Amino acid sequence: MKRQLILGLILVLLAGAAFGTYFFVDYYQAQKEAAETEKAKALQLSDLNSDDIQTITIHTADMDYTLEKGSSSNQWNIAEGSSDMNVNNSYLSTICTYGSALTASEDLGTVSDTDKEKYGLTDPIIISLATDTDKVTLSIGKQTATKEYYYVMRSGDDHAYLVPSSTAQYLAANETMLRYRYIVADTSSPFTVLSLQRDGTDVYTMENQDNTWKMTVPYNLPIALDNSKLSSLTISLQELQIEEFAAKDVTEKDYAAYGVDHPAYQLKLEQENGDTTTLLFAEYDPLVSSYVNCLHVESNEIFTFDSSSLSFLQANASDYLMKSLYSPTMDTVSTLSIQYKGSYNDQTLDFQTTFTMDSSTGTYSCDNTDFSNAGTETVNAFQKLYTQATGLSYEEIQPDAAVPTESGSPALTMTYTLKDGTVHTVQLYANDDKTYWAYIDNQFSYALVRQRALSGNGKMLECYTEFMKAFQEAAS
Protein backbone atom coordinates (compact mmCIF):
# COMPACT_ATOMS: atom_id res chain seq x y z
CA MET A 1 0.00 0.00 0.00
CA LYS A 2 2.82 2.37 0.87
CA ARG A 3 4.58 1.49 -2.34
CA GLN A 4 1.45 2.33 -4.36
CA LEU A 5 1.13 5.68 -2.56
CA ILE A 6 4.73 6.61 -3.39
CA LEU A 7 4.21 5.62 -7.03
CA GLY A 8 1.07 7.77 -7.25
CA LEU A 9 2.88 10.72 -5.70
CA ILE A 10 5.68 10.39 -8.26
CA LEU A 11 3.15 10.36 -11.12
CA VAL A 12 1.48 13.48 -9.75
CA LEU A 13 4.84 15.25 -9.52
CA LEU A 14 5.78 14.21 -13.06
CA ALA A 15 2.44 15.43 -14.41
CA GLY A 16 2.88 18.73 -12.60
CA ALA A 17 6.37 19.10 -13.99
CA ALA A 18 5.15 18.33 -17.51
CA PHE A 19 2.32 20.82 -17.16
CA GLY A 20 4.68 23.44 -15.81
CA THR A 21 7.10 22.84 -18.67
CA TYR A 22 4.28 23.04 -21.22
CA PHE A 23 2.97 26.25 -19.61
CA PHE A 24 6.44 27.76 -19.60
CA VAL A 25 7.11 26.84 -23.24
CA ASP A 26 3.70 28.10 -24.30
CA TYR A 27 4.18 31.35 -22.40
CA TYR A 28 7.67 31.79 -23.86
CA GLN A 29 6.39 31.13 -27.40
CA ALA A 30 3.54 33.59 -26.92
CA GLN A 31 5.95 36.21 -25.62
CA LYS A 32 8.29 35.56 -28.53
CA GLU A 33 5.50 35.87 -31.11
CA ALA A 34 4.24 39.05 -29.42
CA ALA A 35 7.75 40.51 -29.54
CA GLU A 36 8.14 39.58 -33.20
CA THR A 37 4.73 41.07 -34.00
CA GLU A 38 5.67 44.25 -32.19
CA LYS A 39 9.00 44.38 -34.02
CA ALA A 40 7.32 43.81 -37.39
CA LYS A 41 4.80 46.52 -36.55
CA ALA A 42 7.63 48.89 -35.70
CA LEU A 43 9.22 48.20 -39.08
CA GLN A 44 5.97 48.89 -40.96
CA LEU A 45 6.64 52.45 -42.08
CA SER A 46 3.30 52.98 -43.84
CA ASP A 47 -0.07 51.27 -43.84
CA LEU A 48 -2.48 52.76 -46.35
CA ASN A 49 -4.81 51.32 -48.95
CA SER A 50 -3.10 52.28 -52.20
CA ASP A 51 -6.45 52.65 -53.98
CA ASP A 52 -7.54 55.27 -51.42
CA ILE A 53 -4.59 57.61 -52.03
CA GLN A 54 -5.87 60.88 -53.48
CA THR A 55 -2.83 63.16 -53.29
CA ILE A 56 0.89 62.66 -53.87
CA THR A 57 3.42 65.33 -52.96
CA ILE A 58 6.99 64.96 -54.23
CA HIS A 59 9.94 67.11 -53.16
CA THR A 60 13.50 66.73 -54.40
CA ALA A 61 16.41 69.13 -54.68
CA ASP A 62 15.27 69.84 -58.26
CA MET A 63 11.48 69.78 -58.18
CA ASP A 64 8.30 70.16 -56.17
CA TYR A 65 5.03 68.66 -57.34
CA THR A 66 1.61 68.07 -55.88
CA LEU A 67 -0.51 65.63 -57.85
CA GLU A 68 -4.15 64.82 -57.39
CA LYS A 69 -6.08 61.81 -58.63
CA GLY A 70 -8.55 62.61 -61.38
CA SER A 71 -11.93 61.09 -62.05
CA SER A 72 -10.22 58.02 -63.49
CA SER A 73 -8.40 55.87 -60.93
CA ASN A 74 -5.36 55.73 -63.25
CA GLN A 75 -5.25 59.44 -64.11
CA TRP A 76 -3.19 61.92 -62.10
CA ASN A 77 -3.24 65.69 -62.59
CA ILE A 78 -0.68 68.30 -61.56
CA ALA A 79 -2.12 70.57 -58.87
CA GLU A 80 1.18 72.37 -58.16
CA GLY A 81 4.34 72.34 -60.25
CA SER A 82 5.18 72.55 -63.96
CA SER A 83 1.72 72.28 -65.50
CA ASP A 84 3.00 71.77 -69.05
CA MET A 85 4.57 68.42 -68.21
CA ASN A 86 2.80 65.17 -69.08
CA VAL A 87 3.00 62.95 -66.02
CA ASN A 88 3.75 59.24 -66.00
CA ASN A 89 0.54 57.82 -64.53
CA SER A 90 2.01 54.34 -64.42
CA TYR A 91 4.90 55.51 -62.25
CA LEU A 92 2.58 57.39 -59.90
CA SER A 93 0.54 54.22 -59.45
CA THR A 94 3.80 52.44 -58.61
CA ILE A 95 4.58 55.07 -55.95
CA CYS A 96 1.17 54.38 -54.41
CA THR A 97 1.73 50.62 -54.48
CA TYR A 98 5.13 50.63 -52.79
CA GLY A 99 4.70 53.75 -50.66
CA SER A 100 1.41 52.64 -49.10
CA ALA A 101 2.85 49.52 -47.44
CA LEU A 102 6.57 50.20 -47.02
CA THR A 103 8.37 47.79 -44.68
CA ALA A 104 11.89 48.24 -43.35
CA SER A 105 14.39 45.46 -42.78
CA GLU A 106 16.17 47.09 -39.85
CA ASP A 107 15.66 49.91 -37.35
CA LEU A 108 18.87 51.92 -36.96
CA GLY A 109 17.52 53.79 -33.96
CA THR A 110 17.53 57.50 -33.25
CA VAL A 111 19.73 59.43 -35.65
CA SER A 112 21.79 62.54 -34.96
CA ASP A 113 22.30 65.40 -37.39
CA THR A 114 25.66 63.83 -38.28
CA ASP A 115 23.94 60.54 -39.04
CA LYS A 116 21.33 62.30 -41.20
CA GLU A 117 24.06 63.88 -43.29
CA LYS A 118 25.83 60.53 -43.64
CA TYR A 119 22.60 58.81 -44.65
CA GLY A 120 21.57 61.50 -47.15
CA LEU A 121 18.62 62.49 -44.96
CA THR A 122 19.55 66.16 -44.52
CA ASP A 123 17.86 67.11 -47.82
CA PRO A 124 16.14 63.88 -48.81
CA ILE A 125 13.57 63.01 -51.42
CA ILE A 126 10.24 63.47 -49.65
CA ILE A 127 7.14 61.55 -50.70
CA SER A 128 3.79 62.32 -49.04
CA LEU A 129 0.79 60.09 -49.67
CA ALA A 130 -2.62 61.23 -48.46
CA THR A 131 -6.04 59.59 -48.37
CA ASP A 132 -9.20 61.35 -47.26
CA THR A 133 -8.46 60.37 -43.64
CA ASP A 134 -4.74 59.63 -43.33
CA LYS A 135 -1.34 60.77 -44.49
CA VAL A 136 2.16 59.29 -44.57
CA THR A 137 5.34 61.23 -45.31
CA LEU A 138 8.52 59.32 -46.15
CA SER A 139 12.04 60.71 -46.50
CA ILE A 140 14.28 58.74 -48.88
CA GLY A 141 18.03 59.13 -48.37
CA LYS A 142 21.09 57.53 -49.95
CA GLN A 143 21.69 53.91 -50.76
CA THR A 144 24.04 51.89 -48.59
CA ALA A 145 27.54 51.15 -49.87
CA THR A 146 26.42 47.71 -51.05
CA LYS A 147 23.34 49.19 -52.84
CA GLU A 148 21.12 46.67 -51.03
CA TYR A 149 19.19 49.25 -48.97
CA TYR A 150 18.06 52.85 -48.82
CA TYR A 151 18.12 54.94 -45.66
CA VAL A 152 14.54 56.02 -44.91
CA MET A 153 12.72 58.06 -42.25
CA ARG A 154 9.05 58.79 -41.71
CA SER A 155 7.34 61.87 -40.29
CA GLY A 156 6.89 61.92 -36.53
CA ASP A 157 9.68 59.35 -36.00
CA ASP A 158 13.31 60.20 -35.17
CA HIS A 159 14.57 56.74 -36.16
CA ALA A 160 16.24 55.85 -39.46
CA TYR A 161 15.50 52.56 -41.18
CA LEU A 162 17.02 50.35 -43.82
CA VAL A 163 14.54 49.55 -46.61
CA PRO A 164 15.42 47.07 -49.39
CA SER A 165 16.35 48.77 -52.65
CA SER A 166 13.93 46.47 -54.46
CA THR A 167 11.05 48.57 -53.07
CA ALA A 168 12.60 51.88 -52.01
CA GLN A 169 14.05 52.52 -55.48
CA TYR A 170 10.55 53.29 -56.73
CA LEU A 171 10.26 56.11 -54.19
CA ALA A 172 13.61 57.70 -55.10
CA ALA A 173 11.80 59.94 -57.54
CA ASN A 174 13.34 62.23 -60.13
CA GLU A 175 11.87 64.19 -63.01
CA THR A 176 12.78 61.53 -65.58
CA MET A 177 10.76 58.95 -63.66
CA LEU A 178 7.88 61.35 -63.10
CA ARG A 179 7.57 62.42 -66.71
CA TYR A 180 5.48 60.57 -69.27
CA ARG A 181 8.03 58.74 -71.38
CA TYR A 182 6.02 58.17 -74.53
CA ILE A 183 6.19 60.54 -77.49
CA VAL A 184 2.45 60.32 -78.20
CA ALA A 185 0.60 61.83 -75.25
CA ASP A 186 -2.93 60.90 -76.32
CA THR A 187 -2.91 57.40 -77.81
CA SER A 188 -6.71 57.43 -78.08
CA SER A 189 -6.57 60.09 -80.78
CA PRO A 190 -5.79 58.54 -84.19
CA PHE A 191 -3.07 59.80 -86.49
CA THR A 192 -4.16 61.85 -89.49
CA VAL A 193 -0.76 62.55 -91.12
CA LEU A 194 2.56 60.67 -90.90
CA SER A 195 5.58 62.10 -92.71
CA LEU A 196 9.29 61.34 -92.84
CA GLN A 197 12.22 63.20 -94.37
CA ARG A 198 15.71 61.76 -94.68
CA ASP A 199 18.66 64.05 -95.34
CA GLY A 200 16.24 66.81 -96.32
CA THR A 201 14.42 64.68 -98.91
CA ASP A 202 10.82 63.56 -98.56
CA VAL A 203 10.58 59.83 -97.93
CA TYR A 204 6.79 59.76 -97.58
CA THR A 205 3.72 61.59 -96.42
CA MET A 206 0.72 59.42 -95.67
CA GLU A 207 -2.67 60.97 -94.92
CA ASN A 208 -5.93 59.63 -93.58
CA GLN A 209 -8.51 60.92 -96.06
CA ASP A 210 -12.12 60.01 -95.34
CA ASN A 211 -11.03 57.03 -93.20
CA THR A 212 -8.75 55.74 -95.95
CA TRP A 213 -4.99 56.08 -95.74
CA LYS A 214 -3.27 57.31 -98.90
CA MET A 215 0.29 58.18 -99.78
CA THR A 216 0.48 61.77 -101.08
CA VAL A 217 4.27 62.38 -101.06
CA PRO A 218 6.63 61.84 -102.86
CA TYR A 219 3.92 60.83 -105.32
CA ASN A 220 0.19 60.63 -105.17
CA LEU A 221 -0.36 57.00 -106.04
CA PRO A 222 -3.60 55.10 -106.57
CA ILE A 223 -1.95 51.99 -105.07
CA ALA A 224 -3.42 51.15 -101.68
CA LEU A 225 -1.37 51.20 -98.50
CA ASP A 226 -0.64 47.94 -96.74
CA ASN A 227 -2.81 48.18 -93.62
CA SER A 228 -0.74 45.63 -91.72
CA LYS A 229 2.47 47.60 -92.34
CA LEU A 230 0.75 50.87 -91.51
CA SER A 231 -0.67 49.39 -88.30
CA SER A 232 2.78 48.17 -87.30
CA LEU A 233 4.17 51.68 -87.86
CA THR A 234 1.47 53.41 -85.81
CA ILE A 235 1.94 50.96 -82.94
CA SER A 236 5.70 51.56 -83.00
CA LEU A 237 5.11 55.33 -82.83
CA GLN A 238 2.58 55.05 -80.01
CA GLU A 239 5.00 52.85 -78.04
CA LEU A 240 8.10 54.95 -78.75
CA GLN A 241 9.68 55.71 -75.37
CA ILE A 242 12.20 58.36 -74.42
CA GLU A 243 15.33 56.84 -72.95
CA GLU A 244 16.61 60.08 -71.43
CA PHE A 245 15.47 63.70 -71.13
CA ALA A 246 18.82 65.17 -72.07
CA ALA A 247 18.22 68.94 -72.10
CA LYS A 248 15.46 71.52 -71.74
CA ASP A 249 14.90 74.95 -73.30
CA VAL A 250 17.56 74.43 -75.97
CA THR A 251 18.14 77.09 -78.64
CA GLU A 252 19.72 76.91 -82.08
CA LYS A 253 23.17 77.59 -80.66
CA ASP A 254 22.83 74.36 -78.64
CA TYR A 255 21.80 72.16 -81.59
CA ALA A 256 25.32 71.29 -82.76
CA ALA A 257 26.24 69.87 -79.35
CA TYR A 258 23.53 67.25 -79.79
CA GLY A 259 23.99 66.66 -83.52
CA VAL A 260 20.64 68.14 -84.54
CA ASP A 261 21.91 71.32 -86.26
CA HIS A 262 21.75 69.38 -89.52
CA PRO A 263 19.28 66.60 -88.68
CA ALA A 264 19.44 63.39 -90.68
CA TYR A 265 15.74 62.61 -90.14
CA GLN A 266 12.58 64.60 -89.57
CA LEU A 267 9.50 62.74 -88.37
CA LYS A 268 6.21 64.59 -88.12
CA LEU A 269 3.03 63.20 -86.61
CA GLU A 270 -0.39 64.87 -86.70
CA GLN A 271 -3.40 63.62 -84.76
CA GLU A 272 -7.14 64.06 -84.92
CA ASN A 273 -7.13 66.02 -81.64
CA GLY A 274 -4.88 68.70 -83.21
CA ASP A 275 -1.63 67.56 -81.60
CA THR A 276 1.49 67.84 -83.75
CA THR A 277 4.76 66.15 -82.86
CA THR A 278 7.92 67.03 -84.79
CA LEU A 279 11.14 65.14 -84.08
CA LEU A 280 14.55 65.95 -85.59
CA PHE A 281 17.03 63.08 -85.22
CA ALA A 282 20.80 63.26 -85.34
CA GLU A 283 22.75 61.16 -87.81
CA TYR A 284 23.48 57.65 -86.55
CA ASP A 285 24.58 54.25 -87.76
CA PRO A 286 21.78 51.75 -87.02
CA LEU A 287 24.34 48.92 -86.92
CA VAL A 288 26.68 50.65 -84.46
CA SER A 289 24.94 53.42 -82.50
CA SER A 290 23.21 52.51 -79.25
CA TYR A 291 21.53 55.84 -78.57
CA VAL A 292 20.32 58.70 -80.75
CA ASN A 293 19.73 62.35 -79.85
CA CYS A 294 16.55 64.03 -81.03
CA LEU A 295 15.13 67.55 -80.89
CA HIS A 296 11.46 67.71 -79.94
CA VAL A 297 10.56 70.88 -81.82
CA GLU A 298 7.34 71.70 -79.99
CA SER A 299 8.99 71.79 -76.54
CA ASN A 300 12.59 72.71 -77.49
CA GLU A 301 13.88 69.68 -75.62
CA ILE A 302 16.55 67.13 -76.44
CA PHE A 303 15.48 63.51 -76.00
CA THR A 304 17.64 60.41 -76.30
CA PHE A 305 16.24 57.20 -77.79
CA ASP A 306 17.44 53.63 -77.93
CA SER A 307 18.43 53.18 -81.57
CA SER A 308 16.77 49.74 -81.68
CA SER A 309 13.37 51.44 -81.36
CA LEU A 310 13.94 53.66 -84.42
CA SER A 311 13.99 51.13 -87.24
CA PHE A 312 11.07 52.95 -88.92
CA LEU A 313 13.47 55.80 -89.77
CA GLN A 314 15.17 53.49 -92.28
CA ALA A 315 11.94 52.63 -94.12
CA ASN A 316 11.09 53.73 -97.66
CA ALA A 317 7.76 54.74 -99.15
CA SER A 318 7.43 51.47 -101.05
CA ASP A 319 7.62 49.53 -97.78
CA TYR A 320 4.09 50.73 -96.93
CA LEU A 321 2.48 50.09 -100.32
CA MET A 322 0.55 46.98 -101.23
CA LYS A 323 2.60 44.78 -103.52
CA SER A 324 -0.45 44.07 -105.68
CA LEU A 325 -2.16 46.67 -107.85
CA TYR A 326 -5.72 46.18 -106.57
CA SER A 327 -6.91 43.47 -104.18
CA PRO A 328 -10.61 43.49 -103.34
CA THR A 329 -11.83 40.44 -101.49
CA MET A 330 -14.29 38.24 -103.39
CA ASP A 331 -17.11 38.93 -100.94
CA THR A 332 -17.06 42.62 -101.96
CA VAL A 333 -17.16 42.04 -105.75
CA SER A 334 -20.18 41.28 -107.91
CA THR A 335 -18.59 41.36 -111.37
CA LEU A 336 -15.07 40.99 -112.77
CA SER A 337 -14.39 41.57 -116.45
CA ILE A 338 -10.98 40.61 -117.91
CA GLN A 339 -9.87 41.76 -121.34
CA TYR A 340 -6.45 40.71 -122.65
CA LYS A 341 -4.65 40.89 -125.96
CA GLY A 342 -1.09 39.66 -126.17
CA SER A 343 1.21 36.67 -126.19
CA TYR A 344 1.29 33.83 -123.71
CA ASN A 345 3.64 30.83 -123.97
CA ASP A 346 4.36 31.62 -127.62
CA GLN A 347 0.67 31.86 -128.43
CA THR A 348 -1.56 34.83 -128.98
CA LEU A 349 -4.47 35.39 -126.63
CA ASP A 350 -7.31 37.78 -127.37
CA PHE A 351 -10.32 37.52 -125.09
CA GLN A 352 -12.86 39.46 -123.09
CA THR A 353 -14.59 37.46 -120.38
CA THR A 354 -17.00 38.60 -117.69
CA PHE A 355 -17.51 36.74 -114.42
CA THR A 356 -20.26 37.31 -111.89
CA MET A 357 -19.98 35.98 -108.39
CA ASP A 358 -21.66 35.76 -105.03
CA SER A 359 -19.32 33.94 -102.68
CA SER A 360 -21.91 33.98 -99.87
CA THR A 361 -24.24 31.73 -101.88
CA GLY A 362 -21.56 30.03 -104.00
CA THR A 363 -23.09 31.35 -107.22
CA TYR A 364 -20.75 31.94 -110.17
CA SER A 365 -21.14 32.54 -113.91
CA CYS A 366 -18.88 33.08 -116.92
CA ASP A 367 -20.28 35.22 -119.74
CA ASN A 368 -23.78 34.65 -118.36
CA THR A 369 -23.32 30.87 -118.14
CA ASP A 370 -23.71 29.58 -114.60
CA PHE A 371 -21.01 27.15 -113.50
CA SER A 372 -21.88 27.01 -109.80
CA ASN A 373 -22.83 23.33 -110.13
CA ALA A 374 -20.27 22.43 -112.78
CA GLY A 375 -18.12 20.62 -110.27
CA THR A 376 -15.49 21.56 -107.73
CA GLU A 377 -12.74 21.49 -110.33
CA THR A 378 -14.31 24.36 -112.28
CA VAL A 379 -15.18 26.40 -109.20
CA ASN A 380 -11.72 25.88 -107.71
CA ALA A 381 -10.12 26.89 -111.02
CA PHE A 382 -12.12 30.14 -110.99
CA GLN A 383 -11.22 30.90 -107.38
CA LYS A 384 -7.55 30.34 -108.25
CA LEU A 385 -7.92 32.67 -111.24
CA TYR A 386 -9.52 35.33 -109.02
CA THR A 387 -6.69 35.04 -106.49
CA GLN A 388 -4.08 35.57 -109.21
CA ALA A 389 -5.99 38.49 -110.76
CA THR A 390 -6.28 40.35 -107.46
CA GLY A 391 -2.71 39.40 -106.61
CA LEU A 392 -1.25 40.88 -109.81
CA SER A 393 1.94 42.51 -108.53
CA TYR A 394 4.32 45.15 -109.84
CA GLU A 395 8.08 44.84 -110.01
CA GLU A 396 8.92 48.33 -108.74
CA ILE A 397 7.74 51.89 -108.35
CA GLN A 398 9.61 54.38 -110.58
CA PRO A 399 8.69 57.81 -109.15
CA ASP A 400 10.84 59.64 -111.71
CA ALA A 401 9.19 57.98 -114.71
CA ALA A 402 7.58 60.25 -117.27
CA VAL A 403 3.86 59.81 -117.67
CA PRO A 404 3.31 58.13 -121.07
CA THR A 405 1.73 60.52 -123.57
CA GLU A 406 0.82 57.94 -126.21
CA SER A 407 -0.17 54.67 -124.62
CA GLY A 408 -2.22 53.06 -127.39
CA SER A 409 -4.64 50.32 -126.39
CA PRO A 410 -4.15 48.49 -123.08
CA ALA A 411 -2.84 44.95 -123.19
CA LEU A 412 -4.89 44.08 -120.09
CA THR A 413 -7.97 45.63 -118.57
CA MET A 414 -9.59 44.27 -115.42
CA THR A 415 -12.84 45.92 -114.38
CA TYR A 416 -14.23 45.27 -110.91
CA THR A 417 -17.81 46.19 -110.05
CA LEU A 418 -18.25 46.10 -106.30
CA LYS A 419 -21.43 45.17 -104.50
CA ASP A 420 -21.88 48.81 -103.48
CA GLY A 421 -21.97 49.79 -107.17
CA THR A 422 -18.54 51.40 -107.43
CA VAL A 423 -16.31 50.45 -110.35
CA HIS A 424 -12.50 50.15 -110.32
CA THR A 425 -10.16 49.34 -113.18
CA VAL A 426 -6.62 48.02 -113.53
CA GLN A 427 -4.96 48.49 -116.93
CA LEU A 428 -1.55 47.52 -118.26
CA TYR A 429 0.01 49.37 -121.19
CA ALA A 430 3.07 47.98 -122.92
CA ASN A 431 6.35 49.71 -122.07
CA ASP A 432 8.53 47.24 -123.95
CA ASP A 433 8.44 43.53 -124.82
CA LYS A 434 8.71 42.45 -121.18
CA THR A 435 7.21 45.24 -119.08
CA TYR A 436 4.00 47.23 -118.69
CA TRP A 437 3.01 50.49 -117.04
CA ALA A 438 0.07 50.09 -114.69
CA TYR A 439 -2.90 52.45 -114.47
CA ILE A 440 -5.41 52.19 -111.65
CA ASP A 441 -8.78 53.87 -112.14
CA ASN A 442 -7.26 55.62 -115.17
CA GLN A 443 -4.49 57.15 -113.03
CA PHE A 444 -0.84 56.50 -113.84
CA SER A 445 0.62 54.54 -110.93
CA TYR A 446 4.38 54.72 -111.69
CA ALA A 447 4.32 50.96 -111.15
CA LEU A 448 6.19 48.74 -113.59
CA VAL A 449 4.77 45.24 -114.15
CA ARG A 450 6.83 42.49 -115.75
CA GLN A 451 5.40 39.91 -118.14
CA ARG A 452 6.30 37.11 -115.73
CA ALA A 453 3.78 38.55 -113.24
CA LEU A 454 1.10 37.78 -115.84
CA SER A 455 2.24 34.62 -117.58
CA GLY A 456 4.68 32.97 -115.21
CA ASN A 457 4.05 29.54 -113.73
CA GLY A 458 0.73 29.58 -111.88
CA LYS A 459 0.07 33.23 -112.76
CA MET A 460 -3.12 34.79 -114.05
CA LEU A 461 -2.99 33.88 -117.77
CA GLU A 462 -2.13 30.29 -116.98
CA CYS A 463 -4.97 30.16 -114.46
CA TYR A 464 -7.32 31.64 -117.06
CA THR A 465 -6.54 28.92 -119.61
CA GLU A 466 -6.91 26.24 -116.91
CA PHE A 467 -10.30 27.65 -115.91
CA MET A 468 -11.54 27.87 -119.51
CA LYS A 469 -10.53 24.26 -120.11
CA ALA A 470 -12.42 23.07 -117.02
CA PHE A 471 -15.38 25.30 -117.83
CA GLN A 472 -15.69 24.05 -121.44
CA GLU A 473 -15.29 20.40 -120.42
CA ALA A 474 -18.01 20.81 -117.82
CA ALA A 475 -20.31 22.41 -120.42
CA SER A 476 -19.78 19.64 -123.01
Side-chain angles (χ1 to χ4, degrees), residues 46-277:
S46 59
D47 187 15
L48 302 174
N49 185 330
S50 61
D51 293 334
D52 292 340
I53 296 173
Q54 300 297 318
T55 304
I56 302 174
T57 303
I58 302 173
H59 163 81
T60 73
D62 302 315
M63 65 179 188
D64 283 285
Y65 282 96
T66 298
L67 303 114
E68 296 178 346
K69 185 179 288 187
S71 56
S72 168
S73 60
N74 296 319
Q75 184 67 42
W76 289 87
N77 303 312
I78 297 175
E80 296 179 18
S82 178
S83 59
D84 61 348
M85 181 180 73
N86 290 324
V87 296
N88 186 342
N89 287 288
S90 177
Y91 173 61
L92 292 172
S93 296
T94 300
I95 287 180
C96 292
T97 298
Y98 288 99
S100 62
L102 192 66
T103 302
S105 296
E106 184 178 346
D107 183 350
L108 299 178
T110 303
V111 290
S112 63
D113 290 341
T114 301
D115 290 331
K116 284 185 178 181
E117 185 173 357
K118 181 172 64 175
Y119 298 157
L121 292 165
T122 302
D123 187 13
I125 297 168
I126 300 175
I127 305 288
S128 291
L129 307 174
T131 67
D132 290 335
T133 59
D134 205 355
K135 181 179 179 179
V136 170
T137 300
L138 302 165
S139 298
I140 315 299
K142 296 178 180 178
Q143 280 185 292
T144 59
T146 62
K147 306 298 183 182
E148 293 180 84
Y149 302 96
Y150 276 84
Y151 297 103
V152 177
M153 295 185 72
R154 61 181 169 184
S155 60
D157 187 343
D158 59 2
H159 287 210
Y161 300 86
L162 290 178
V163 177
S165 294
S166 58
T167 55
Q169 64 180 332
Y170 297 107
L171 304 179
N174 56 52
E175 191 168 48
T176 297
M177 299 168 72
L178 185 60
R179 291 190 65 174
Y180 186 72
R181 302 180 69 87
Y182 294 92
I183 283 296
V184 179
D186 182 4
T187 56
S188 66
S189 178
F191 292 116
T192 55
V193 179
L194 303 173
S195 67
L196 175 66
Q197 290 183 353
R198 192 158 49 229
D199 295 325
T201 301
D202 289 323
V203 177
Y204 61 73
T205 294
M206 297 181 286
E207 300 182 22
N208 188 344
Q209 301 176 354
D210 299 325
N211 295 319
T212 300
W213 278 92
K214 296 182 179 179
M215 185 170 293
T216 57
V217 174
Y219 28 71
N220 189 354
L221 296 181
I223 298 175
L225 294 178
D226 187 327
N227 288 328
S228 64
K229 298 288 183 65
L230 185 61
S231 177
S232 179
L233 173 62
T234 57
I235 291 172
S236 294
L237 296 175
Q238 290 175 335
E239 295 181 348
L240 182 59
Q241 289 193 58
I242 300 163
E243 191 73 19
E244 180 183 355
F245 297 94
K248 297 171 66 175
D249 301 321
V250 295
T251 60
E252 287 190 24
K253 65 181 178 62
D254 303 314
Y255 290 175
Y258 298 99
V260 294
D261 51 332
H262 299 290
Y265 311 87
Q266 175 183 291
L267 180 69
K268 189 172 183 179
L269 317 173
E270 297 179 29
Q271 294 177 259
E272 194 174 82
N273 62 5
D275 287 354
T276 297
T277 303

Side-chain angles (χ1 to χ4, degrees), residues 41 107 120 123 181 400 407 428 454:
K41 184 178 179 181
D107 183 350
D123 187 13
R181 302 180 69 87
D400 298 326
S407 302
L428 299 186
L454 273 176

